[in-house]
Amino acid sequence: MDTTQVTLTIRGETTPGEVIAVVGSCEALGNWSYQRAVTLHPLGDGGHTWRVTISVPRRVIFKYRYFKGFFLESKSAGGPCQVIVNLWETHHQPRMMNPKAAQQDIDDGEFGFHNGVKCVDSGWLTCQTDIRLRLHYSKRPPVSITKKKFKKSRFRIKLTLEGIEEEEEEEEEQELSPSSWHKMTTTLEISLITANDYKSRHSQPECGYALEPSRWTEYSIHTMDPDNLELTFEFFEEDLSEHVVQGDVHPGHVGTACLLSSSFLENGNDTGVVTLPIMGRNSRQTIGKVRVDYLVIRPIQGLQCDMSSSYTKHWKKRSAVDVGHRGAGSTHAAKHHKVRENTIASFKSAAKHGAAFVEFDVHLSKDSVPIVYHDLTCCISTKKKNDQTLELIEVPVKDLTFDQLQLLKLAHVTAMTGNDHKDLLDDEDEVDEHQPFPSLSQIFQAVPENVGFNIELKWISQMKDGTWDGNLSSYFNMNTFLDIILNCVLQKAGKRRIIFSCFDPDICTMVRLKQNKYPILFLTQGISEKYPELMDMRCQTTQIAVSFAQSENILGISAHTEELLKHLNYIGEAQSKGLVVFSWGDDNNEHENRRQLREQGIDGLIYDSICDVQGEQPNIFQVEEQHSLQEVITEETLKSSACSCYSIPCSAVPCVASKWHNLMHFKNHRGNN
């Protein structure tokens, strides 16, 4: 096969030790693997221009992207190099080349710019670990002072990082030792989040920040050596007064609290709370204690993400997409439903009736199989065949294996307090597609690929009163839980549209950092009269949820309609900040409420009974694809559309508003997600 010598040139600033690399769709460009990417070389202009020559097959179209990062030696002899991706180009359509001559020069201009559009994103965790330390007032003030002298003092706090020792370098000056690489690739930044604003990942001032009751303070440490760090909180008194020592290098410095990162590994938990003594600066006495909330985010195990595409921040603005809640709707919100929620039959029914996405909850069985079911617990019956006497037992889903779940006759937990035993009295021999607890793999295989999945990652939440969802105060290891589910999705999704969502903000952060392909929405109930207030301050209002989503650079939020209807302006405000906004809740089942939200430009509506509201029809993605292929949509036909549901002619997708009829809804805990 004839080949072409292609010389690629790109311009971009880099930090010490950082390089620009190129990755693409052919063997010479690593087949989208960052570990096999080709590094460019800086020219003699201060490192601003980078260039490389590669040999690729002639008259073949290739796609490619650039990224900035560190290329480190393998931990094992002969193994692949370790690559940290700091920043990468994420245009929906990558750069392309189609070389036809023996030699070709391609000047790609500035890094991140393609066809006049800048589109870059931060990298994900490839081989490094992200440690989060948080100080906040969700439960109580994080700092408690016992020393009388400082009882009324107000402190500023700064986190410092130690623990990577220098090694004597016998190598040439240009070469970097492993310890130098670790220092270079270890970063410490701080984020501040309030309901009205956020300041994401930046350097701390010399004496740190004061703590505020309404502000979430979070330190982020990116490191290659997560078990060998000494993390020290330095406490400075804001009102210096007589405590200042003349000529003091650190005026107002009163004490320190030390945390060893090895303790996270020793206790076996990647998330938790530690209480540290604050030691006085000039004595061995403690002056108080500080309560530190920690989270350790590790790279996904068992899978390597490629760089072929990224939708983590990609959303095409269109009319609101319809999302089938638990498929064709909550069984317990609509008693007359013949199709059980969260089953293959329910998802297929929603797909036939024009659902762009189906929404469902995923958690793990005892033997670590990702399964689809709404509640953290289920009620199982000990009834014998042909015996109508029932005894219900509530069991955590996580305590049953996948095979055990397949054998169950079960009821919704609300059956414990009523006479709703319908699920248990149904036919003994159910059709497979109507069986509860399908695996996530089965759902991927059975539901048409043109229907997107809005996958809620089920996790326990703590209420403000100290109680927990399902009375479960402990759950899976968060990293293990996500690795299993993400592996399944990344391997089986194919071309299907995927959006993750979760009520737990830490899960949202981890999904963002563990993979580079699919977006996540932060689910928030906001200020609600229907549901109890949550402990985590990031979950307590829609406004702080918006700040959190911005700070973590996720796609957006999925807000509770109860609060949105009281503050419709929240939708536009969030969107003006670059966020996508979905909504969930019983209120979405009312046609008038959906109309109001559509008028405000909501991006997605999650609701029950999509099969009653809409007749059998293609979803909006199928219609867009058909129109794109046929090139029949004109500006005039779009303007003449009278249907508020979609921005397409009513003749293509029938207006179904007249089909709506009210449903009686059963109210259960956070029942719409």
Side-chain angles (χ1 to χ4, degrees):
M1 179 182 289
D2 292 338
T3 61
T4 296
Q5 296 295 112
V6 176
T7 299
L8 299 172
T9 302
I10 193 78
R11 293 164 189 80
E13 300 292 341
T14 56
T15 59
E18 187 179 55
V19 300
I20 296 180
V22 61
V23 63
S25 61
C26 63
E27 186 67 28
L29 293 172
N31 285 322
W32 294 118
S33 169
Y34 56 84
Q35 286 188 318
R36 296 166 56 204
V38 178
T39 56
L40 283 74
H41 311 290
L43 302 185
D45 62 347
H48 183 68
T49 304
W50 295 71
R51 182 171 294 163
V52 72
T53 299
I54 56 173
S55 179
V56 298
R58 197 178 303 178
R59 296 184 181 87
V60 178
I61 297 175
F62 302 109
K63 298 180 179 180
Y64 62 102
R65 306 178 188 275
Y66 293 100
F67 68 92
K68 297 180 182 180
F70 295 114
F71 282 70
L72 315 178
E73 290 183 4
S74 172
K75 288 184 177 179
S76 58
C81 63
Q82 298 180 92
V83 179
I84 296 176
V85 179
N86 294 332
L87 200 66
W88 65 303
E89 297 180 334
T90 54
H91 300 85
H92 189 48
Q93 294 296 333
R95 300 176 189 270
M96 295 178 64
M97 68 170 82
N98 184 11
K100 297 177 180 177
Q103 293 184 337
Q104 185 171 340
D105 293 337
I106 300 177
D107 189 331
D108 279 317
E110 287 289 327
F111 174 85
F113 287 87
H114 176 43
N115 292 332
V117 177
K118 184 177 183 180
C119 192
V120 295
D121 196 7
S122 54
W124 64 103
L125 298 179
T126 54
C127 54
Q128 71 277 47
T129 296
D130 190 281
I131 299 173
R132 300 292 180 99
L133 304 179
R134 293 82 74 88
L135 303 175
H136 56 87
Y137 287 73
S138 292
K139 284 188 177 180
R140 63 183 75 95
V143 176
S144 174
I145 299 298
T146 55
K147 191 77 171 175
K148 187 176 180 181
K149 180 180 180 180
F150 300 113
K151 275 282 188 180
K152 296 183 179 179
S153 297
R154 176 179 165 88
F155 296 102
R156 297 174 71 89
I157 302 175
K158 182 178 183 179
L159 181 65
T160 59
L161 183 64
E162 299 291 343
I164 301 172
E165 298 180 359
E166 290 283 358
E167 295 180 1
E168 291 186 12
E169 298 182 20
E170 299 178 357
E171 305 166 15
E172 295 182 11
E173 290 185 4
Q174 285 108 346
E175 296 195 13
L176 294 169
S177 69
S179 67
S180 297
W181 271 116
H182 285 163
K183 269 195 164 184
M184 188 177 298
T185 57
T186 296
T187 60
L188 167 60
E189 297 171 311
I190 188 171
S191 297
L192 306 171
I193 304 172
T194 68
N196 301 316
D197 199 8
Y198 78 100
K199 190 174 182 182
S200 185
R201 287 178 285 279
H202 61 283
S203 299
Q204 304 168 84
E206 187 176 358
C207 294
Y209 286 103
L211 298 180
E212 301 286 351
S214 61
R215 186 168 69 193
W216 181 276
T217 301
E218 181 158 313
Y219 305 91
S220 175
I221 302 101
H222 258 57
T223 179
M224 295 282 289
D225 199 12
D227 303 321
N228 188 35
L229 300 177
E230 182 179 308
L231 305 154
T232 304
F233 291 93
E234 307 280 358
F235 289 78
F236 299 86
E237 195 176 15
E238 277 208 312
D239 181 14
L240 303 179
S241 62
E242 71 272 12
H243 302 304
V244 178
V245 178
Q246 188 66 32
D248 196 342
V249 178
H250 299 291
H253 184 235
V254 296
T256 60
C258 183
L259 172 63
L260 299 178
S261 63
S262 58
S263 63
F264 305 143
L265 183 66
E266 289 165 3
N267 66 28
N269 293 323
D270 290 333
T271 181
V273 177
V274 292
T275 301
L276 308 173
I278 305 172
M279 306 302 295
R281 178 183 178 187
N282 298 316
S283 70
R284 295 183 178 181
Q285 293 182 329
T286 61
I287 63 172
K289 58 186 178 181
V290 58
R291 187 174 183 272
V292 182
D293 183 335
Y294 70 89
L295 172 68
V296 181
I297 311 173
R298 306 184 190 277
I300 189 170
Q301 298 297 304
L303 186 75
Q304 184 187 104
C305 297
D306 67 38
M307 302 183 76
S308 59
S309 60
S310 177
Y311 306 99
T312 55
K313 292 285 290 180
H314 176 76
W315 183 260
K316 178 183 175 182
K317 185 61 182 176
R318 52 168 67 81
S319 296
V321 296
D322 292 297
V323 183
H325 179 225
R326 306 188 203 175
S330 169
T331 308
H332 308 281
K335 292 293 182 181
H336 63 278
H337 270 193
K338 296 179 181 179
V339 181
R340 188 199 298 266
E341 66 180 48
N342 284 326
T343 59
I344 292 173
S346 182
F347 299 135
K348 283 187 171 182
S349 179
K352 286 181 181 178
H353 290 80
F357 288 87
V358 288
E359 181 272 348
F360 53 84
D361 307 76
V362 171
H363 34 140
L364 297 182
S365 62
K366 185 178 180 179
D367 51 345
S368 300
V369 176
I371 52 102
V372 176
Y373 188 68
H374 177 264
D375 298 299
L376 290 163
T377 62
C378 63
C379 287
I380 62 176
S381 168
T382 59
K383 94 175 180 71
K384 298 178 181 178
K385 198 161 186 175
N386 302 319
D387 184 353
Q388 299 301 305
T389 304
L390 301 175
E391 182 179 350
L392 300 180
I393 304 171
E394 187 174 3
V395 180
V397 173
K398 73 179 183 68
D399 291 342
L400 299 170
T401 66
F402 179 69
D403 287 342
Q404 288 171 334
L405 290 169
Q406 301 308 296
L407 297 173
L408 288 183
K409 287 294 293 182
L410 58 84
H412 191 264
V413 288
T414 52
M416 295 282 287
T417 57
N419 296 315
D420 179 23
H421 300 157
K422 174 181 176 295
D423 286 349
L424 297 169
L425 298 174
D426 284 342
D427 292 338
E428 292 288 338
D429 300 317
E430 288 193 274
V431 181
D432 286 346
E433 290 194 350
H434 293 264
Q435 273 284 86
F437 299 111
S439 71
L440 182 56
S441 295
Q442 290 171 335
I443 298 296
F444 271 114
Q445 187 173 356
V447 179
E449 195 176 53
N450 54 50
V451 179
F453 285 175
N454 176 189
I455 301 173
E456 182 187 334
L457 299 162
K458 200 71 174 180
W459 197 258
I460 56 175
S461 296
Q462 187 177 24
M463 310 305 143
K464 191 72 173 177
D465 63 6
T467 60
W468 290 83
D469 269 349
N471 295 316
L472 299 175
S473 58
S474 63
Y475 208 46
F476 296 93
N477 175 286
M478 202 174 270
N479 276 290
T480 304
F481 172 86
L482 285 175
D483 286 356
I484 293 169
I485 296 174
L486 291 176
N487 264 282
C488 178
V489 174
L490 289 166
Q491 291 179 31
K492 297 184 181 297
K495 296 181 180 179
R496 191 187 304 274
R497 293 170 175 86
I498 302 289
I499 298 176
F500 291 109
S501 61
C502 190
F503 280 101
D504 188 286
D506 289 343
I507 292 283
C508 294
T509 296
M510 293 177 78
V511 169
R512 182 70 168 100
L513 290 179
K514 278 178 167 288
Q515 52 88 48
N516 65 352
K517 191 163 188 177
Y518 297 120
I520 187 159
L521 299 174
F522 179 31
L523 274 162
T524 174
Q525 67 182 39
I527 299 173
S528 174
E529 296 177 6
K530 297 180 179 180
Y531 304 124
E533 186 178 8
L534 296 175
M535 181 71 77
D536 193 321
M537 64 186 295
R538 297 170 295 176
C539 304
Q540 291 173 359
T541 68
T542 299
Q543 289 173 305
I544 198 167
V546 167
S547 294
F548 168 79
Q550 288 181 279
S551 178
E552 292 299 329
N553 196 28
I554 62 176
L555 182 65
I557 63 170
S558 186
H560 192 195
T561 304
E562 179 187 1
E563 187 173 19
L564 286 185
L565 290 173
K566 296 174 183 176
H567 304 280
L568 289 170
N569 58 301
Y570 284 179
I571 299 171
E573 289 175 6
Q575 290 172 335
S576 70
K577 296 173 180 177
L579 300 178
V580 168
V581 183
F582 277 38
S583 71
W584 64 275
D586 288 344
D587 293 318
N588 276 356
N589 292 327
E590 298 292 337
H591 171 70
E592 178 57 26
N593 292 337
R594 293 202 306 277
R595 186 193 64 78
Q596 284 190 64
L597 294 170
R598 290 185 194 278
E599 285 185 351
Q600 295 297 319
I602 196 88
D603 294 298
L605 287 165
I606 304 171
Y607 61 98
D608 293 310
S609 306
I610 196 167
C611 300
D612 295 328
V613 175
Q614 301 182 165
E616 291 193 13
Q617 61 186 50
N619 67 36
I620 191 170
F621 300 132
Q622 291 173 289
V623 173
E624 286 179 351
E625 185 177 358
Q626 291 168 4
H627 285 186
S628 176
L629 291 172
Q630 298 169 8
E631 297 182 349
V632 296
I633 297 183
T634 64
E635 187 175 350
E636 289 73 21
T637 56
L638 284 170
K639 287 181 178 179
S640 66
S641 174
C643 177
S644 63
C645 298
Y646 301 97
S647 294
I648 52 177
C650 280
S651 58
V653 177
C655 186
V656 293
S658 60
K659 297 183 182 179
W660 173 259
H661 58 86
N662 292 327
L663 301 173
M664 295 297 291
H665 298 290
F666 192 92
K667 188 176 180 181
N668 60 343
H669 177 68
R670 207 184 287 140
N672 278 272
N673 282 279

